Amino acid sequence: MAIDYHRALALDIPSVEHHYTERDTMLYALGLGLGEDPMDVGALRYVYEKELKAFPTMPVALAFISLRAIPLGIDYTKMVHGGQSLTLHAPWPVAGTIVGKTRVTEIVDRGPGKGALIYLEREMREKASGTLLATAGMSAFCRADGGFGGPVSEGPKPHPTPERPADLSVDVTTLPQQALIYRLSGDLNPLHADPEVARKAGFERPILHGLATYGVVARAIVAGVLGHDGDRLRSLTGRFSAPVFPGETLRVELWCEGEERVSVRATALQRGTVVFTNGQATLRI
């Protein structure tokens, strides 16, 4: 079944209510590798109940609906997570009940044999007050679904990576078991746990969740630029350019553009492969 452009944009996707606790907040941070150094008091605030704070990218793991549950008429076996964004409108609570509402914002037809790009946006509000806390956006590259008759383009122009050397780089070594921990925050796709499933998908072993890579990139920004003060991260956007294998070291390059913007790129050092690119973070002063 091909994509029906106008039907997809008009979909009323059911809201998702998500209750989470302080334990979930700590588990999410552990799934990003925070706490690996027991003497790192800056990271400890995200994994220890004393003065606990939610790590700023936690909203991407909450109140979401699986793309497979949305009737878009795409071949889900050939779909990959293309990019991710998050804007934080207020500090994220360490526990509470959140309501997420997702909508399809655009679908780009790259033409027959070239695939399609689907863009979705999810607003997350505190249930009790209705306060808008965060807005998450994602793009999905549907490799088998081009040529459905929708608008043809290459999609929005990505944020350019500076050509000069980075102002700062932060190396973060992922844990061998990191995907197994991260999946406990809600994404149970066996691609990230089962070697047989990974091989059938064309990977030599299970890969790290894209959103875990996204969180690791944020770790580097929070530690390297913000002195572990995650409340100062206003937004983060970027594209996934290659998978990460748990246990690899990511070198996150950071270009500071004034006091409020940082350009970002991450490379898996063992393979010399760029895994996150065209990234940009905005900061609160």
Side-chain angles (χ1 to χ4, degrees):
M1 182 174 67
I3 295 171
D4 183 328
Y5 178 76
H6 296 290
R7 178 177 177 272
L9 291 182
L11 281 173
D12 183 11
I13 301 169
S15 298
V16 175
E17 184 175 307
H18 193 139
H19 177 73
Y20 67 100
T21 67
E22 292 185 354
R23 182 183 180 92
D24 298 314
T25 295
M26 290 183 277
L27 181 61
Y28 171 77
L30 290 169
L32 301 183
L34 285 153
E36 60 184 345
D37 179 357
M39 299 304 291
D40 185 349
V41 295
L44 190 63
R45 68 180 66 178
Y46 301 108
V47 295
Y48 177 44
E49 60 271 17
K50 181 181 178 181
E51 300 179 353
L52 178 67
K53 298 183 72 67
F55 194 75
T57 55
M58 187 179 180
V60 299
L62 300 179
F64 64 88
I65 186 168
S66 170
L67 268 179
R68 292 177 180 270
I70 304 175
L72 294 170
I74 64 177
D75 183 349
Y76 292 99
T77 66
K78 295 183 179 180
M79 179 194 72
V80 295
H81 195 162
Q84 184 68 40
S85 68
L86 176 68
T87 300
L88 294 151
H89 306 293
W92 194 258
V94 298
T97 301
I98 302 299
V99 177
K101 181 66 174 177
T102 299
R103 66 186 184 96
V104 179
T105 59
E106 184 58 284
I107 305 177
V108 172
D109 188 351
R110 299 182 68 189
K114 297 182 180 180
L117 289 164
I118 297 180
Y119 295 88
L120 301 103
E121 180 183 271
R122 180 169 87 258
E123 290 188 340
M124 286 163 280
R125 298 178 181 271
E126 186 178 42
K127 181 183 179 182
S129 66
T131 300
L132 178 62
L133 297 177
T135 302
M138 71 165 289
S139 63
F141 179 39
C142 305
R143 294 174 289 174
D145 298 292
F148 64 88
V152 178
S153 77
E154 291 298 314
K157 188 175 181 180
H159 174 71
T161 301
E163 296 183 1
R164 62 183 176 85
D167 297 307
L168 173 69
S169 65
V170 178
D171 290 355
V172 182
T173 299
T174 61
L175 305 173
Q177 70 275 31
Q178 192 156 328
L180 296 174
I181 300 173
Y182 185 85
R183 70 191 301 269
L184 300 179
S185 288
D187 187 343
L188 300 177
N189 187 338
L191 174 64
H192 308 292
D194 190 325
E196 182 178 355
V197 173
R199 282 193 293 268
K200 288 181 178 178
F203 301 106
E204 62 187 57
R205 54 197 172 99
I207 63 174
L208 191 63
H209 303 69
L211 289 181
T213 298
Y214 181 83
V216 170
V217 169
R219 274 186 61 187
I221 298 168
V222 170
V225 179
L226 301 179
H228 292 288
D229 184 2
D231 287 345
R232 290 185 56 204
L233 183 65
R234 183 190 303 274
S235 69
L236 175 61
T237 185
R239 296 192 305 116
F240 302 111
S241 48
V244 173
F245 295 100
E248 290 186 317
T249 296
L250 302 189
R251 173 158 294 167
V252 183
E253 297 172 278
L254 304 169
W255 289 263
C256 298
E257 301 169 354
E259 295 183 342
E260 298 184 26
R261 296 184 184 274
V262 179
S263 292
V264 190
R265 179 174 63 197
T267 302
L269 289 183
Q270 286 86 343
R271 291 176 289 135
T273 300
V274 175
V275 297
F276 184 86
T277 189
N278 303 114
Q280 184 184 61
T282 63
L283 315 176
R284 294 182 174 89
I285 299 177

